[in-house]
Structures are given as structure tokens and as C-alpha cells.
Amino acid sequence: MKFIIAGLGNFGASLAQKLTAQGNEVIGIDNRMEKVDLYKEKISHTICMDATEEFAVTGLPLDDTDVVIVAIGEDQGSNIMTTALFKNMQVKRLISRAINSLHEKVLVAIGVDEIVHPEEETAERWAKKLCLNNVVDSFELSDDFSIIEAKVPQDCIGKTIREVGFRLKYNLLVLTIMKETEVKSLLGRSRKEMRIQGIATPDQNLGETDILVLYGANRDLQDFLKKNGQEGR
């Protein structure tokens, strides 16, 4: 995949390096030459430029980029201006960093696809979410093993855990399933929320809106998600 990351602070630089290490093509942008020089050997491409300048941004390969991430955290104004600029250019997928709750409301109003909270979410988690389709969240147990929350792949909808063959075919363990459940408040109003179903059993059916909680080696998790019809989900 191809990424553009604007802002090479701690979070942006860490994410750019992890995505590059996983074989993705990453363009890292910062207006500080020392940051560009620092990471030029660790990120696919680094460019010194002001991402709030429309003329400069139009020179980037936006049509060929899968995801644009605005990771600017020091300057809220620059973050908003850069986010708005990329949004106006109709990039395929736009993710921006929120500095506080008011800033997050502005980003929502601009219409970003997803919002990053680096104080709560690590670059490691975001690298996994961006590289593995359908991953909702992840927890790194070691360099080689993880627990992830993932949407049910299209090819697995309607099948049981046994029929999919998580253990025998993919060497993965389904810890539990979260299902969308309708609950009523004290005022009698209905709403839907994800409820954990307890320890998974082999005969549990997988629904379209279910979330799988999977444990396994990172390479096995990657293989499973790539082989099971992620397109269009």
C-alpha cells in the first residue's frame, strides 16, 4: 500500500517507519529539515515541505496514494489546515490526529474518515490496522504474537468456527465473538451495542456484523485476513 504521512513528530515518524518496515511505500512530510534528514534512511521517501501550502501539496502523488495521515500534533491550526486541504483534494482515505475534544469536533465537521488519538493508541496498533484489512483493534503480546479484533471476512459469513477451520487451516485461536445486540435503556429506548459472547465454541455461527477476537502469530493473522475475501468490506 501507499501512504502519505504529514508530520514527523514522535507518532508520525514511528508510524511511518513501521509501515515502511512492513513493505509499504511511505512518503513522510515535515516542514523541519532536521526531521527529514533524521528519517530519510528509515522511511521510503521524506520531503521537506509545508503541508498547509496548496501548491506544494498538489505536487504529491495523491491519486496513487491509498491513505493520507495527518499526524501533526504540535500546531492545531496547521493540523486543521492540512486536513482540510487533503479533504478538498478528495484523497481516497483521510486519517487525522486529534489534539483535544474540540479539535476532534472540528475534524469530524471537516469529514475525516478516522481520527487518531496518539496518547491512547500506539503507532504499532495503527500500523497493524492500516496494513491488515478488517482489523478493528490489536494488542501486541510480543514481536511475533498478537490478539486482534477483526470483522468477519466476507467468505466466512454464515459459517461456523469449525467450518472455517481457524485452528486446523490457519493455526489461529478464536478467543471469543462480539455480536451486535439490541439493548433497552431505563427509559425503554432501544440501541445496539457489541456484546462479548463468552468463550467461543466450534459450532458458533459467524454473522456479518460480528467481531472476531483472534490470537495467533502475526504472520498467520496476516495470511488469514489476506486469503478470505477482504474486498468490498
Side-chain angles (χ1 to χ4, degrees):
M1 294 179 68
K2 297 181 180 180
F3 298 86
I4 291 176
I5 298 180
L8 296 178
N10 291 337
F11 178 78
S14 179
L15 180 59
Q17 290 177 84
K18 291 180 186 302
L19 290 172
T20 298
Q22 293 179 24
N24 300 286
E25 185 174 355
V26 181
I27 298 176
I29 299 168
D30 203 284
N31 61 2
R32 297 163 294 183
M33 194 64 207
E34 64 270 21
K35 290 289 186 180
V36 171
D37 284 338
L38 180 62
Y39 296 111
K40 65 182 181 181
E41 302 297 331
K42 302 174 183 177
I43 300 171
S44 308
H45 314 281
T46 54
I47 301 174
C48 185
M49 62 176 283
D50 184 351
T52 66
E53 291 291 334
E54 183 174 0
F55 179 76
V57 172
T58 54
L60 295 170
L62 299 179
D63 290 341
D64 296 327
T65 299
D66 298 297
V67 186
V68 174
I69 302 158
V70 180
I72 299 169
E74 298 84 359
D75 187 335
Q76 185 171 321
S78 293
N79 178 293
I80 292 172
M81 290 176 64
T82 301
T83 302
L85 188 55
F86 280 118
K87 181 64 178 179
N88 288 340
M89 292 183 176
Q90 300 180 335
V91 297
K92 295 174 185 175
R93 182 179 175 190
L94 179 60
I95 299 170
S96 189
R97 173 180 183 173
I99 299 170
N100 52 50
S101 59
L102 179 58
H103 182 206
E104 181 170 351
K105 290 178 182 178
V106 174
L107 294 178
V108 170
I110 291 174
V112 300
D113 299 304
E114 295 172 75
I115 294 175
V116 179
H117 302 88
E119 295 77 15
E120 304 168 13
E121 304 168 291
T122 66
E124 185 72 46
R125 284 191 176 190
W126 268 95
K128 191 174 269 80
K129 287 169 71 172
L130 290 167
C131 289
L132 297 180
N133 290 333
N134 279 12
V135 171
V136 177
D137 202 355
S138 67
F139 179 70
E140 202 82 4
L141 296 176
S142 70
D143 291 341
D144 299 315
F145 292 87
S146 298
I147 294 173
I148 68 168
E149 295 177 8
K151 298 176 183 177
V152 176
Q154 189 75 41
D155 291 351
C156 300
I157 294 172
K159 296 180 180 178
T160 66
I161 291 175
R162 190 195 310 276
E163 288 171 336
V164 175
F166 288 93
R167 288 297 299 275
L168 295 177
K169 189 175 179 181
Y170 299 104
N171 198 32
L172 299 176
L173 179 63
V174 182
L175 299 178
T176 189
I177 298 172
M178 294 188 287
K179 286 187 174 290
E180 192 175 67
T181 306
E182 189 170 293
V183 296
K184 288 189 176 182
S185 67
L186 294 174
L187 299 177
R189 294 177 179 173
S190 296
R191 59 185 174 84
K192 292 183 178 180
E193 64 178 42
M194 300 305 293
R195 288 281 182 92
I196 293 175
Q197 301 299 301
I199 297 173
T201 62
D203 295 320
Q204 276 185 277
N205 281 294
L206 303 178
E208 185 174 5
T209 60
D210 291 352
I211 300 294
L212 296 165
V213 181
L214 300 171
Y215 164 76
N218 293 332
R219 64 177 182 276
D220 293 329
L221 292 166
Q222 292 174 354
D223 288 344
F224 169 71
L225 292 172
K226 287 177 180 178
K227 288 178 181 176
N228 283 276
Q230 306 300 311
E231 295 81 5
R233 291 281 289 157

